Amino acid sequence: MVNQKAILSKYAKDNHFSNPVFFMDDGFLGTNFDRPGWNDMLEQIEAGKVKTLIVKDMSRLGRDYLKVEFYTEVLFVEKGIRFIAINNGTNAHHLE
């Protein structure tokens, strides 16, 4: 997890994303979408406090690809969230 945080911190700094907040789920598998960090992130999204979401790769969101697709293609779009998956080359701008 430390390595992922370093990668994300460097990406944020290099691309001028200020004040990054990290949502971490140490000890939880990506097959489980009932994770403390994940739930906190969803609360922040619902509160309108997330503008950009950056992950190391798509698998960091979760391993259930149908649920991941729902979040990246439906929820993030509805909330106007820019989604970036560094290693997958995904950089989607979703504007309301």
Side-chain angles (χ1 to χ4, degrees):
M1 194 55 100
V2 172
N3 185 43
Q4 287 181 52
K5 189 173 179 181
I7 290 167
L8 295 170
S9 293
K10 181 178 180 348
Y11 185 90
K13 181 180 178 192
D14 291 350
N15 291 278
H16 311 288
F17 291 103
S18 59
N19 304 318
V21 174
F22 297 91
F23 300 97
M24 297 182 284
D25 287 309
D26 292 337
F28 286 83
L29 297 175
T31 54
N32 178 5
F33 278 84
D34 187 18
R35 309 181 310 249
W38 176 260
N39 293 333
D40 187 28
M41 182 189 72
L42 290 180
E43 288 176 17
Q44 297 297 317
I45 287 172
E46 289 297 331
K49 296 180 179 179
V50 177
K51 294 181 183 169
T52 303
L53 180 61
I54 305 169
V55 297
K56 180 181 152 230
D57 57 58
M58 296 289 281
S59 69
R60 299 300 88 197
L61 281 183
R63 304 283 184 338
D64 181 333
Y65 296 106
L66 291 176
K67 285 186 180 180
V68 168
E69 186 174 354
F70 164 76
Y71 289 108
T72 59
E73 300 297 325
V74 178
L75 182 69
F76 298 166
V77 173
E78 287 176 357
K79 299 297 182 181
I81 295 171
R82 180 178 180 185
F83 176 69
I84 300 169
I86 298 169
N87 290 345
N88 298 100
T90 301
N91 189 347
H93 294 266
H94 301 301
L95 303 175
E96 292 181 320

